[in-house]
Amino acid sequence: MKSHDTSKGAQVTGSLGQDGIATLKSGAQDLIVDGVRAHDSASRSRSESALHDDEDSDDSVEDYDDIRLDPDTLVANTMPSVDNTLRPSGKKVMKDDYTRRQSEPGVDLKTARKGIQIKLEKTDRKGRYVLTADDPEIREILRKGLEREEREAAGKRPRTRIRDLVFTRQFTTFDRQNPTSAESPFFGFFTLFWLAMVLIFVQTALNNWRAYGSILGDNQIAKLMFSRELLTLGITDGVICAATSEAHFLQLAISKGWINWAKSGWIIQNLWQTAYLGTILWWTWFRDWPWTHSVFIVLHALVFVMKQHSYAFYNGYLSGVYRRRALLERKLKQLDAIEAVSSPPSSPLGMPSFGARSASVDLGKPNEETGSTLKPRRPFIGNRTSTNLAIEKSDVASVASAIESGKPLDLDQLQAFRQVIQEEIAELTTQLSGKSQSPTSSNIYPHNLRLGNFAEFICLPTLVYELEYPRQERINWWYVAEKTTATFGVLCVMQVISQAFIYPPVAKTVAMKEAGLTMAERWVEFPFIVSDMLFALLLEQLLTWYVIWECILNVLAEVTRFADRGFYGDWWNSVSWDQYARDWNRPVHNFLLRHVYHSSISTFHLSRHSATFVTFLLSALVHELVMAVMFKKVRGYLFAMQLLQMPLVSLSRTKLLKGRTILGNVIFWLGLFVGPSFLTSLYLIL
C-alpha cells in the first residue's frame, strides 16, 4: 500500500509472514499474532478440515472469534454486531457502486477494508515484510494473539463434547444480491442454463398441448400429487411439527432438576426420537399414500428429528455445565467463609499443587530464592459437565478436597484456590453464554429455554442449535416474493420434465411387471431405461437442489431474518465424493459434523477413521430409508453405493488422482450423471 494510505500517529512495527502470522514489536517485547484473514471462506475451510483433524486436538474446534469477514459477503441491513464500516450501506449492494470501488486504483475489493490501514515494506528476506499500523482492530488482534499465546503456553484447552460451528453473514452463491456472483465471468452460463430450461418447458408444453390438449400431457403426475388426501397430509405435517415440542419440555424438566440429562435424559430423548420416526413411517404405510406424499412427510420428519436432536443434546450438555458451575459457586462460598491463618501451616502435606503453581506461591511475583518470575498458567480443567469432584482428577477437584479436609489455609493459599475456582467458573459461564454478545442476553442458558425460542429454531433454515445466530434487522418482502415465485416456477418446470421424460419409462417398467415378464426379459430393457432417463433425472436433480437450497431456504432465511445463507458450497467443482458430501448440503453436513462425527469421538472415543465410517453409515441408512419409502421395498442399492464412496474417497487421495483436478471433476460428474438413472432403473427393473 502507498505510504499516504497509512494512518499518522503512534506505530507498531513487525514482520508479516506468508503464513499469515505477524511478528510485531511493542517496546522491547516481540508479540506473535495472527494476521487478518479477510474472507468468509475461513468458515468453510475450518468445517472441512475438522474431519481430518486429530481427535485429541482442539484445533478442529470452530470458533466465531477467529473469523474476519469479507465485507462483500455480508448481508445488507444486518444487526450492528459487525462494525458499520464492514456493512453495505444500502438495502442491497449496488452493482454500480461495486464497479466503482473495483476500478479505484490500488483497491482490491477482496481485501479492502475501511478503517484498517497498514503499511507493508519489503525486507531483505523473501516473504518477510515490515508492518506499520495504528488502528483499534490491530490492537484487538494483538490482544487476542497474546491471549492465544498464553493459552497455548499453558497447554491445550479442555475438550468439549459439543463443537462450535461458525455462522457468518453471507449470501448464497447464485443469489443476485451476492456481488461476487454478479461480477462472475461465468454469469453468462447461468443465464444460458435458465434460458434453456424455459425453452425446454415451452417446447414440451406445446407438444403436449398439440397431442393431449394440455401442457402437462396426460397429467398423471399432477393427479398423483393432488388427487389424494391433501387435507390429511397437511394435518399430519402439522401434528409432527407440534410433536417436536417434546424436546423443549424435556429440557425444561432437566433445567429444574427433575431429570438428570447425563443419567436418563439422553436415553429418554433417543427413545422418543426412535418412536417419533417409527410412528411416522407406520402412518405413511397405513395410509398407503403415493410416493410423493410419503417422501414429503418422511423427509420433513427427518428434518424435525435432527432439529430435536441438536436442540436436546446441546441444551443437555449446557445443563451439565450449569450444574457444575452451581457446584463451584457453592465451593467458592465455602472458601470465602474460611478464615486465613496468620502464617503458613507447619505441614504442607495434603495441600494441592497445580504444576508450576503451588498453593503457597504467588507466581505473579519474583521468586525470592531464584530471582526469576515464574509464568502462571491456566489451571487444568476437568470434564465441564462433571459434578463428582471426589473421583475427578483436576485442579478444581484438588481445591475441593483441600477445602473439605478442614486444614488451615494461609492467605496465599486462599487466593490461589479462589483464582482456580473463579477461572473455571468464568470458563463455564462462557460455555453457557455461547455466542451471545451480551452477558445479560435472554438467550443465555437456562433463559433460552422458552417455547418461543424453540419454535423459532424449528423455523430457522439450520439443523444445528445455537443460543444466537447472526440476524438481519428487517425482512425484504420483495425478496421473499421473488424467491417464492422462483420456487413455483421451478416446480412447474420440474413437473413438465417429469411428465414428458420420466413418467413414460417408469410406466413401461410397471407394464412389463404387470404383463408377467421374467426378470431376464426385463433385464434386457435395463440399459435402454437407463439411457431414456439420463438427462431428465440429471435435470431433475439439479432443479431439486436449486429449488430447495437456493429458493426455499432463502425464503425461510429472509422471513426469519437468518443472515447466514451458506446453505451450500461450490459442489459443482468437486474432485472427490467427500468434498461433494460437504458442499452440496451444508445444513446436514454441519449436523453430521457436530452430532455424529465429533460426538462419536468425544463420547464413544472412536478414532477419526471410525467416526468417519459411522457418519457415512448413518447417511447411507437414511438415504436407503427414503428409497424404501419411495419404492415400497428394501433393496439396498443406494445403501451400497453410499458406502462405496469411502473407498472412492481413499482412491482420490492416492498418487493416481491426487492433484489431478480436472480428472477428479470429470469422474465426479460422470458419477452424478449416470448414478441417479442407474439406481432408479435398478429399483424399477429388479
Side-chain angles (χ1 to χ4, degrees):
M1 298 179 63
K2 297 181 180 180
S3 59
H4 67 266
D5 289 331
T6 60
S7 56
K8 305 292 190 286
Q11 297 178 331
V12 180
T13 306
S15 298
L16 179 66
Q18 289 178 326
D19 55 0
I21 305 299
T23 305
L24 305 181
K25 293 185 177 181
S26 176
Q29 296 182 345
D30 289 342
L31 311 176
I32 309 299
V33 298
D34 282 359
V36 176
R37 301 178 184 272
H39 202 280
D40 72 298
S41 63
S43 168
R44 181 184 65 182
S45 63
R46 281 174 169 267
S47 177
E48 294 170 358
S49 64
L51 286 175
H52 309 295
D53 290 338
D54 187 84
E55 61 268 25
D56 295 327
S57 171
D58 278 321
D59 295 338
S60 64
V61 179
E62 300 175 320
D63 194 349
Y64 294 98
D65 302 332
D66 295 335
I67 297 298
R68 305 298 301 173
L69 301 179
D70 185 338
D72 297 320
T73 68
L74 303 184
V75 175
N77 301 313
T78 51
M79 290 295 191
S81 57
V82 171
D83 193 291
N84 287 328
T85 60
L86 306 184
R87 188 181 299 109
S89 57
K91 295 182 179 179
K92 60 181 179 180
V93 180
M94 301 302 294
K95 180 178 178 181
D96 293 340
D97 181 62
Y98 181 87
T99 306
R100 178 183 57 77
R101 294 176 61 201
Q102 183 82 31
S103 62
E104 288 181 6
V107 175
D108 182 0
L109 208 54
K110 296 297 180 187
T111 56
R113 186 182 308 282
K114 235 178 181 181
I116 298 183
Q117 301 180 15
I118 62 174
K119 179 181 180 181
L120 294 178
E121 296 179 354
K122 293 184 177 180
T123 64
D124 54 354
R125 293 179 59 189
K126 184 177 180 180
R128 306 294 290 182
Y129 302 84
V130 176
L131 183 151
T132 306
D134 179 27
D135 186 272
E137 293 204 27
I138 294 295
R139 289 196 291 270
E140 181 68 10
I141 293 173
L142 284 169
R143 182 185 66 80
K144 290 184 178 180
L146 288 173
E147 292 176 353
R148 186 180 300 110
E149 184 182 11
E150 181 182 352
R151 289 198 300 268
E152 293 173 353
K156 293 181 179 180
R157 292 178 294 178
R159 294 171 58 189
T160 62
R161 293 191 177 186
I162 299 294
R163 297 303 179 103
D164 285 336
L165 297 172
V166 175
F167 288 90
T168 61
R169 293 164 174 81
Q170 56 183 318
F171 296 104
T172 50
T173 301
F174 293 111
D175 195 328
R176 64 176 179 80
Q177 296 185 96
N178 190 335
T180 304
S181 296
E183 298 299 319
S184 171
F186 300 102
F187 78 94
F189 287 102
F190 184 73
T191 304
L192 176 63
F193 174 81
W194 285 113
L195 182 60
M197 290 298 98
V198 172
L199 292 177
I200 288 176
F201 174 82
V202 172
Q203 181 189 40
T204 306
L206 288 176
N207 290 335
N208 287 336
W209 181 267
R210 182 173 59 182
Y212 302 101
S214 169
I215 64 172
L216 298 177
D218 284 342
N219 215 19
Q220 290 94 339
I221 293 181
K223 293 176 181 177
L224 188 69
M225 294 175 59
F226 301 110
S227 63
R228 285 193 55 192
E229 297 194 338
L230 284 182
L231 180 59
T232 305
L233 182 69
I235 294 174
T236 300
D237 196 45
V239 170
I240 66 174
C241 181
T244 60
S245 60
E246 177 276 341
H248 168 69
F249 293 114
L250 176 62
Q251 291 305 314
L252 278 181
I254 290 171
S255 68
K256 295 181 181 299
W258 300 341
I259 301 174
N260 189 321
W261 171 259
K263 293 181 179 179
S264 59
W266 68 274
I267 298 176
I268 295 173
Q269 182 61 38
N270 280 320
L271 290 176
W272 161 258
Q273 290 171 185
T274 304
Y276 177 88
L277 185 58
T279 301
I280 293 169
L281 292 173
W282 171 83
W283 180 249
T284 60
W285 172 83
F286 175 76
R287 302 301 301 180
D288 193 27
W289 280 334
W291 70 268
T292 52
H293 295 48
S294 299
V295 169
F296 170 77
I297 285 295
V298 170
L299 288 178
H300 216 183
L302 288 171
V303 168
F304 287 144
V305 166
M306 288 186 281
K307 280 181 173 285
Q308 290 178 77
H309 185 91
S310 185
Y311 180 87
F313 276 76
Y314 189 85
N315 283 295
Y317 167 77
L318 292 183
S319 70
V321 175
Y322 186 75
R323 291 172 64 245
R324 181 178 177 87
R325 188 183 70 169
L327 173 64
L328 295 184
E329 288 174 344
R330 292 194 296 269
K331 293 296 180 184
L332 189 60
K333 290 182 179 180
Q334 292 181 20
L335 189 64
D336 291 338
I338 297 176
E339 294 185 4
V341 297
S342 57
S343 60
S346 57
S347 175
L349 297 178
M351 292 296 102
S353 61
F354 317 113
R357 171 186 285 156
S358 171
S360 59
V361 177
D362 184 0
L363 297 182
K365 300 178 181 179
N367 188 298
E368 295 180 357
E369 297 180 0
T370 64
S372 64
T373 301
L374 299 177
K375 185 175 180 179
R377 69 172 183 85
R378 294 175 63 177
F380 170 72
I381 299 178
N383 187 336
R384 286 178 172 170
T385 60
S386 172
T387 55
N388 191 349
L389 299 180
I391 63 173
E392 183 180 310
K393 296 184 181 299
S394 66
D395 291 350
V396 166
S398 300
V399 170
S401 177
I403 294 174
E404 296 297 332
S405 68
K407 294 180 180 180
L409 303 172
D410 66 11
L411 183 59
D412 287 341
Q413 289 172 329
L414 289 176
Q415 290 177 344
F417 289 178
R418 183 177 293 105
Q419 183 177 359
V420 169
I421 296 178
Q422 287 176 340
E423 285 181 348
E424 179 153 359
I425 288 177
E427 289 280 350
L428 299 175
T429 301
T430 300
Q431 285 281 303
L432 296 173
S433 300
K435 301 307 175 184
S436 299
Q437 299 294 323
S438 171
T440 60
S441 172
S442 61
N443 288 330
I444 293 178
Y445 186 88
H447 305 301
N448 67 307
L449 298 178
R450 308 182 311 274
L451 189 58
N453 178 274
F454 175 76
E456 182 182 53
F457 169 63
I458 292 297
C459 297
L460 291 177
T462 178
L463 301 175
V464 175
Y465 181 78
E466 288 285 351
L467 298 178
E468 284 188 3
Y469 303 91
R471 310 300 285 270
Q472 293 182 194
E473 290 178 342
R474 60 184 180 80
I475 300 173
N476 184 343
W477 291 108
W478 286 110
Y479 180 84
V480 173
E482 172 193 330
K483 290 296 182 181
T484 302
T485 303
T487 298
F488 287 102
V490 174
L491 289 176
C492 189
V493 173
M494 292 174 63
Q495 172 82 9
V496 170
I497 292 176
S498 298
Q499 180 66 45
F501 301 106
I502 296 179
Y503 181 80
V506 171
K508 181 179 180 180
T509 61
V510 173
M512 286 191 297
K513 289 183 178 181
E514 292 178 348
L517 271 66
T518 64
M519 182 178 296
E521 292 173 327
R522 298 199 305 270
W523 187 254
V524 174
E525 295 294 322
F526 179 80
F528 302 102
I529 299 296
V530 172
S531 176
D532 289 342
M533 293 194 295
L534 269 178
F535 289 94
L537 282 179
L538 177 63
L539 282 177
E540 290 291 80
Q541 186 177 11
L542 294 176
L543 293 175
T544 299
W545 170 82
Y546 185 84
V547 77
I548 294 176
W549 280 270
E550 177 63 37
C551 297
I552 295 177
L553 291 186
N554 265 320
V555 168
L556 284 176
E558 190 67 30
V559 171
T560 58
R561 300 185 296 109
F562 188 77
D564 190 337
R565 313 295 172 87
F567 304 130
Y568 56 87
D570 54 344
W571 59 265
W572 45 89
N573 294 327
S574 298
V575 296
S576 64
W577 290 106
D578 60 329
Q579 181 182 351
Y580 172 68
R582 289 192 301 267
D583 287 342
W584 85 281
N585 187 347
R586 284 287 178 79
V588 170
H589 167 70
N590 288 338
F591 176 86
L592 294 175
L593 181 67
R594 172 190 278 187
H595 294 290
V596 180
Y597 179 80
H598 282 315
S599 294
S600 298
I601 293 174
S602 61
T603 304
F604 301 105
H605 308 292
L606 298 182
S607 65
R608 290 185 298 115
H609 299 294
S610 298
T612 301
F613 174 75
V614 169
T615 304
F616 270 91
L617 178 63
L618 179 62
S619 177
L621 287 172
V622 172
H623 280 80
E624 183 60 34
L625 173 64
V626 175
M627 298 302 286
V629 170
M630 180 181 296
F631 292 99
K632 299 187 184 304
K633 58 184 177 182
V634 178
R635 290 292 185 266
Y637 307 136
L638 182 56
F639 176 78
M641 292 294 181
Q642 288 282 108
L643 291 185
L644 186 62
Q645 291 182 14
M646 295 195 66
L648 290 177
V649 169
S650 299
L651 180 63
S652 68
R653 296 173 182 172
T654 62
K655 293 182 180 180
L656 180 64
L657 293 176
K658 189 175 183 180
R660 300 186 178 182
T661 304
I662 296 178
L663 178 60
N665 191 239
V666 168
I667 294 174
F668 157 74
W669 272 111
L670 280 175
L672 203 65
F673 191 19
V674 178
S677 181
F678 181 81
L679 283 171
T680 302
S681 300
L682 280 178
Y683 281 98
L684 289 171
I685 293 291
L686 300 182

